[in-house]
Amino acid sequence: MLTYQETLEAIHSHKANGRRPDFKRLNWILDKLGRPQAGFSILHIVGTNGKGSTTAFLQAIFSSAGYKTGTFTSPFITRFNKRISVNGRPISDQDLVKTFDFVRPWLEEITKTDLGILTEFELVTVLAFVYFGQIQPVGLVIIEAGIGGRFDSTNVITPLATICTSIGYDHTETLGDRLEDIAWQKAGAIKPNRPMILGSMPRQARSVFEREAQGLGAPLYRLGQEFQIKDEMEVFDFISPLGSLENLHTSLLGPHQKNNAALAIQASLLLRFDFPKVDELAIRKGLRSATWPGRGELVRPNILLDGAHNPQGIQALIELLEKEFPDRPKHLLFAGLKRKDLAKMLELLAGQDVTVVSFDFPGAADLTDYPDTYAQIPDFRTWLKQAERSTDLFVVTGSLYFISDVRHYLLNGRD
């Protein structure tokens, strides 16, 4: 049996290198493993932004109700194991090794076919299914899509319901550069006769979901129509024919988190027939206790981390800062990936005190990729030293991979 480090290296050796997901390849190995994803109930989450936060709310709600709840998310901020968790606890090193060892014979067998080896995301998806279905059986798994939905590796499941949190511009090289195209990709996760819960999005994107849901006979629940929230500043009310709740609090910062919380509440109420212990107390407790590292996270009294890695995320960050810290002087540090629309994101931050930096990651933007109108610094650690002698708010934002580096440095005191 491999060591933990050898297991991680074996998983990472399956880099896609430009290869696309292949359902034929994925289903071949899932068939050999006995279709482990059929052994538990599933909620599937797609969307441009908000997937992780909505997953966090749902996990906290169902765990609070007493259900053993798995989550499959990406990318990771703290540690690889966090991608596959039960009741918020990451898979142990030993169980990751055990799960990989269970799958490994079929990874070797597939090389003897003309299907090709699995991509890393396909492999991690398979590991999650095996872990939740056979190694650490659970009652419910909340599965976050990787990219898109229609052709995403996670789309080999039959969920009780599907959620689309939002639609915006991201991964346009894969999903298309029109909102309608991006929505078509995400709407591919809708299943016949299974509920589809829809967050706030532009009309042209919403109409794609409406057509797809109608064609598949999938009941559609739209935020702002079939259910809604009433924002009361520090708290909010949730209103739905399935049940209404007043004076709700969330643990996650930002006005957009109320929308994500509403999606989680609506899904929880829809699933009460299958999970009858989900009640008002569990919902309130879940909303107050949910955590999601690197998203609106105050890691120090004056240092905020927020992985705003696309224009929609930047807009949500601006709204968060205006609501939560309206009168506090703010300084922002930004680092992104070359393939992202850096100019658009920085344009949205006009008027803010913004400094740009690069970081050690494949595809990270170099300082020369940024307009020279922005202050630049060679190392984020130097910029963070300002926070040691100031009461101003220091905001680190951009790529989630960058946020992971900064968070690790701040919480561990070392590289």
Side-chain angles (χ1 to χ4, degrees):
M1 189 174 289
L2 301 179
T3 66
Y4 171 71
Q5 192 57 42
E6 288 170 339
T7 298
L8 279 186
E9 290 170 2
I11 292 169
H12 295 325
S13 73
H14 284 254
K15 293 293 183 187
N17 294 323
R19 293 180 298 132
R20 296 297 187 189
D22 185 329
F23 289 131
K24 187 176 180 182
R25 179 170 61 223
L26 191 58
N27 279 311
W28 182 94
I29 198 165
L30 289 171
D31 285 342
K32 298 297 184 183
L33 291 164
R35 308 296 293 181
Q37 73 274 27
F40 45 82
S41 297
I42 297 170
L43 270 170
H44 199 192
I45 304 189
V46 301
T48 305
N49 287 41
K51 296 189 296 293
S53 299
T54 304
T55 296
F57 283 130
L58 283 163
Q59 177 269 308
I61 289 169
F62 281 88
S63 293
S64 295
Y67 294 106
K68 193 174 180 182
T69 307
T71 52
F72 177 54
T73 59
S74 60
F76 63 93
I77 292 291
T78 54
R79 199 164 182 258
F80 177 88
N81 300 44
K82 181 66 176 174
R83 295 183 64 180
I84 303 171
S85 298
V86 173
N87 289 343
R89 291 188 297 275
I91 183 174
S92 69
D93 293 356
Q94 295 83 357
D95 276 351
L96 182 62
V97 170
K98 181 179 179 181
T99 306
F100 182 79
D101 195 63
F102 188 86
V103 172
R104 186 159 53 146
W106 297 112
L107 297 179
E108 295 168 357
E109 283 296 315
I110 201 171
T111 63
K112 301 174 185 176
T113 73
D114 59 0
L115 295 171
I117 66 171
L118 270 65
T119 65
E120 181 174 350
F121 190 74
E122 287 171 340
L123 174 54
V124 180
T125 301
V126 170
L127 293 175
F129 290 166
V130 169
Y131 180 67
F132 296 133
Q134 295 165 314
I135 307 296
Q136 185 69 254
V138 297
L140 174 70
V141 180
I142 302 145
I143 294 178
E144 180 186 324
I147 296 177
R150 189 175 298 272
F151 304 114
D152 188 73
S153 299
T154 61
N155 202 26
V156 291
I157 55 178
T158 304
L160 295 177
T162 303
I163 300 172
C164 182
T165 54
S166 64
I167 293 292
Y169 294 102
D170 203 0
H171 301 291
T172 53
E173 71 283 356
T174 300
L175 304 180
D177 55 11
R178 300 187 312 146
L179 288 179
E180 295 93 333
D181 298 331
I182 296 169
W184 181 82
Q185 292 277 358
K186 312 281 188 187
I190 301 174
K191 298 297 182 292
N193 307 309
R194 300 296 174 108
M196 179 71 212
I197 303 162
L198 215 55
S200 298
M201 62 185 61
R203 178 191 53 77
Q204 64 266 42
R206 185 174 66 247
S207 64
V208 173
F209 280 90
E210 291 169 344
R211 287 196 301 272
E212 192 90 9
Q214 184 177 24
L216 292 170
L220 191 61
Y221 300 89
R222 296 160 292 190
L223 177 59
Q225 293 182 246
E226 285 74 23
F227 65 104
Q228 52 197 300
I229 61 171
K230 182 180 179 183
D231 196 341
E232 301 287 355
M233 296 302 289
E234 296 304 317
V235 299
F236 71 99
D237 299 339
F238 173 85
I239 303 149
S240 167
L242 298 176
S244 297
L245 300 169
E246 296 181 339
N247 299 318
L248 294 167
H249 298 260
T250 70
S251 55
L252 304 182
L253 297 177
H256 60 292
Q257 295 296 1
K258 295 176 181 177
N259 290 338
N260 294 332
L263 297 174
I265 297 170
Q266 181 71 6
S268 301
L269 295 177
L270 279 170
L271 266 61
R272 277 192 302 183
F273 179 82
D274 297 279
F275 298 91
K277 290 190 291 184
V278 172
D279 57 13
E280 180 176 344
L281 181 62
I283 291 172
R284 290 185 181 276
K285 184 178 179 182
L287 297 186
R288 289 195 306 268
S289 63
T291 60
W292 196 235
R295 279 76 161 187
E297 181 186 19
L298 270 173
V299 290
R300 301 268 176 86
N302 66 336
I303 299 179
L304 180 82
L305 304 182
D306 190 76
H309 57 281
N310 54 41
Q312 188 179 14
I314 292 289
Q315 188 58 53
L317 171 61
I318 292 169
E319 293 171 4
L320 183 160
L321 295 176
E322 290 175 349
K323 178 182 182 296
E324 305 288 348
F325 310 98
D327 303 317
R328 196 165 175 183
K330 306 170 191 69
H331 313 280
L332 282 74
L333 183 67
F334 178 91
L337 302 180
K338 287 178 182 286
R339 62 180 173 80
K340 298 285 187 169
D341 191 348
L342 302 175
K344 177 64 174 178
M345 287 189 276
L346 289 169
E347 181 184 316
L348 291 170
L349 293 172
Q352 305 280 351
D353 175 22
V354 178
T355 299
V356 295
V357 68
S358 189
F359 65 110
D360 185 17
F361 186 80
D366 300 318
L367 289 178
T368 53
D369 293 318
Y370 294 102
D372 56 14
T373 51
Y374 294 94
Q376 298 186 353
I377 198 163
D379 193 311
F380 70 80
R381 299 161 190 81
T382 305
W383 186 87
L384 286 171
K385 287 180 180 177
Q386 303 172 79
E388 296 173 4
R389 54 185 183 275
S390 175
T391 57
D392 293 356
L393 183 68
F394 292 81
V395 182
V396 182
T397 189
S399 167
L400 287 167
Y401 301 105
F402 174 55
I403 297 300
S404 178
D405 282 357
V406 176
R407 190 178 190 276
H408 181 82
Y409 172 77
L410 287 170
L411 298 185
N412 293 279
R414 61 183 186 277
D415 294 341

